[in-house]
Amino acid sequence: MDNPSSPAEPARFLFATCQVGAEETLKHELARRRPDFRLAFSRPGFLTFKLPEGHRLPDDFRLRAIFARSHGFSLGKVTGATPEELAAETWRLWGDHPIHRIHVWSRDVAVPGHRGYEPGMTPEALAARAAIRQVCPIAQQLAPNEEDPEVPAKQGDWILDCVLVEPNEWWIGWHRARSAASRWPGGMMPLVLPEHAVSRAWLKMEEALRWSRLPLAAGAQVAEIGSAPGGASQALLDRGCFVTGIDPAEMDPAVLAHPNFRHLRRRAVQVQRREFRKIRWLAADMNVAPAYTLDVVEAVVSHPHVRIRGLLLTLKLFEWEMADALPEHLDRVRRWGYQVVRARQLLHNRQEICVAALRSAASGRTGRRGERPVQ
Ligand SMILES: C[S@@+](CC[C@H](N)C(=O)[O-])C[C@H]1O[C@@H](n2cnc3c(N)ncnc32)[C@H](O)[C@@H]1O
């Protein structure tokens, strides 16, 4: 199980999943960054691309596309009338690929928030997973804790991917676990909104922290611009951070009552720079255009007496076309002195993305393991 050999044939297709509505944006992103990948198949929330002949993409290839929630090499689709038939076809297609884990999930079927729709694990995906597992001919190769939904894949694990594109049409592929998101089915970390959370922004912040792996530890001094009503601040408070919320709107009384929270009830431009002297981490989640969010953040981070080590910014895309400017926006953040800048449309993002940035490459990068937490 430890050193399974690579598939003999290089993969010919890549699959990617995304939020419903983000397909065109993802296609544009890939046309810009990987013009040698050709779109092959497209459904809402699910795309495949033909890879160039003779490509030398590594087994653990990372697409690094902002709008791809998950991706892997595609083996093609299986069709059948029942989950049992589809499961049998899955293993026929799988052949003798190495395997440690099975990830099964449904493509998104609606825009997040539309009539209460939330992307995530579905009963159909769990049933399909059980059917595939039931007839797995190489079960001895699977990791011992493979069936525990709370346990993510280990880095380097070989994963069978099965995306339920239609009830009778599953797309099969594989990837090797590497990034934090790639260790979970469909790149979806299983987060549950806690009862005390005052808004679903709690999920957004928690996912952003886990995805970015910013070294932001208990005791860290964090400011959030656009903090009301306070779900995201609560996620930070739950981790033991000290949080300064900046927002002209009202914070929820439960957040205001927290001993480690202080509210500056005003717009960001009205906040004196000295208020940021102790702050080392800055989050922003304003319902304004990306350029305005960046103007506000730049005014803080470029001040000579302010030392912000890392950023977690939500950039709202009121129109999908606003994504075209993202490369420039990310370059702008780099020019402020943040060497590591990454962006992703998180599972809990609506029509928006998350940008994570870290100033000092010397003291670690977002995503590096074993790094010393910094306050
Ligand atoms: C999406 S909500 C923030 C949600 C919040 N992060 C939470 O966890 O509940 C956007 C907020 O941005 C605030 N906002 C908009 N412009 C702002 C500005 N210039 N300065 C500070 N806050 C601003 C709004 O008042 C609004 O409360």
Side-chain angles (χ1 to χ4, degrees):
M1 185 181 107
D2 278 343
N3 274 316
S5 59
S6 299
E9 296 282 316
R12 292 172 49 226
F13 291 90
L14 188 97
F15 77 84
T17 58
C18 65
Q19 197 180 91
V20 165
E23 301 82 9
E24 285 303 313
T25 309
L26 176 56
K27 285 180 209 169
H28 283 155
E29 190 183 9
L30 289 192
R32 197 172 52 234
R33 297 200 35 244
R34 303 297 312 216
D36 49 341
F37 292 9
R38 298 265 168 241
L39 181 71
F41 177 80
S42 173
R43 295 283 294 139
F46 181 82
L47 307 166
T48 68
F49 296 86
K50 185 158 183 359
L51 297 170
E53 292 291 330
H55 72 78
R56 290 172 173 259
L57 298 177
D59 295 330
D60 59 354
F61 168 65
R62 280 173 94 165
L63 191 54
R64 296 182 192 279
I66 298 170
F67 294 92
R69 192 189 295 149
S70 69
H71 66 86
F73 295 109
S74 174
L75 296 171
K77 68 176 178 183
V78 295
T79 55
T82 63
E84 291 69 32
E85 268 179 51
L86 286 148
E89 286 303 309
T90 299
W91 290 116
R92 250 192 289 281
L93 194 59
W94 186 252
D96 57 0
H97 284 76
I99 190 167
H100 293 127
R101 284 172 189 276
I102 302 167
H103 283 180
V104 184
W105 70 102
S106 307
R107 72 175 168 90
D108 284 15
V109 292
V111 175
H114 177 72
R115 297 191 178 167
Y117 175 74
E118 292 288 348
M121 198 43 72
T122 61
E124 294 78 18
L126 292 175
R129 190 191 189 290
I132 293 172
R133 185 70 173 76
Q134 176 90 37
V135 291
C136 175
I138 41 178
Q140 74 285 357
Q141 287 188 32
L142 294 170
N145 56 9
E146 192 275 333
E147 290 196 87
D148 186 341
E150 301 294 320
V151 178
K154 287 204 311 282
Q155 264 195 335
D157 276 357
W158 292 81
I159 295 166
L160 180 159
D161 292 310
C162 171
V163 190
L164 277 56
V165 172
E166 301 294 345
N168 59 351
E169 181 181 313
W170 299 352
W171 283 71
I172 310 304
W174 59 270
H175 75 279
R176 291 193 76 182
R178 193 167 157 186
S179 65
S182 74
R183 299 166 68 192
W184 297 100
M188 302 186 290
M189 297 176 196
L191 294 176
V192 179
L193 189 67
E195 270 189 17
H196 71 279
V198 300
S199 68
R200 62 182 293 289
W202 187 97
L203 291 168
K204 204 159 81 169
M205 176 57 79
E206 184 60 30
E207 186 185 357
L209 291 165
R210 293 187 192 200
W211 157 70
S212 66
R213 292 196 252 165
L214 284 177
L216 196 154
Q221 288 279 355
V222 191
E224 191 194 13
I225 304 176
S227 56
S233 291
Q234 285 180 305
L236 292 161
L237 292 165
D238 292 348
R239 286 172 169 246
C241 300
F242 292 88
V243 181
T244 299
I246 299 164
D247 200 309
E250 262 183 59
M251 297 298 299
D252 189 283
V255 183
L256 284 177
H258 197 290
N260 292 350
F261 182 83
R262 73 173 175 145
H263 186 196
L264 303 178
R265 192 168 178 182
R266 54 202 99 130
R267 295 193 168 277
V269 288
Q270 297 165 326
V271 176
Q272 305 258 336
R273 293 305 141 214
R274 62 180 157 78
E275 302 284 5
F276 290 100
R277 282 219 180 118
K278 286 191 182 164
I279 305 291
R280 295 291 170 267
W281 303 93
L282 184 64
D285 182 18
M286 285 174 283
N287 42 5
V288 298
Y292 184 78
T293 293
L294 295 178
D295 287 349
V296 166
V297 172
E298 180 168 332
V300 176
V301 300
S302 58
H303 193 277
H305 298 306
V306 175
R307 282 174 33 239
I308 303 290
R309 181 155 184 241
L311 308 169
L312 274 182
L313 313 177
T314 298
L315 299 184
K316 308 266 179 197
L317 305 174
F318 297 124
E319 311 289 338
W320 283 109
E321 289 70 30
M322 287 177 140
D324 293 343
L326 288 175
E328 283 162 47
H329 293 328
L330 300 182
D331 279 347
R332 182 173 173 190
V333 176
R334 285 185 194 100
R335 285 198 299 276
W336 301 338
Y338 293 91
Q339 289 92 344
V340 183
V341 179
R342 296 169 59 209
R344 176 173 167 86
Q345 184 166 47
L346 302 173
L347 173 66
H348 296 100
N349 278 144
R350 302 287 209 218
Q351 198 167 316
E352 60 193 9
I353 64 150
C354 177
V355 176
L358 188 62
R359 191 178 282 284
S360 162
S363 60
R365 37 168 293 170
T366 62
R368 181 175 289 179
R369 294 162 140 256
E371 167 175 303
R372 212 155 47 92
V374 173
Q375 299 178 359

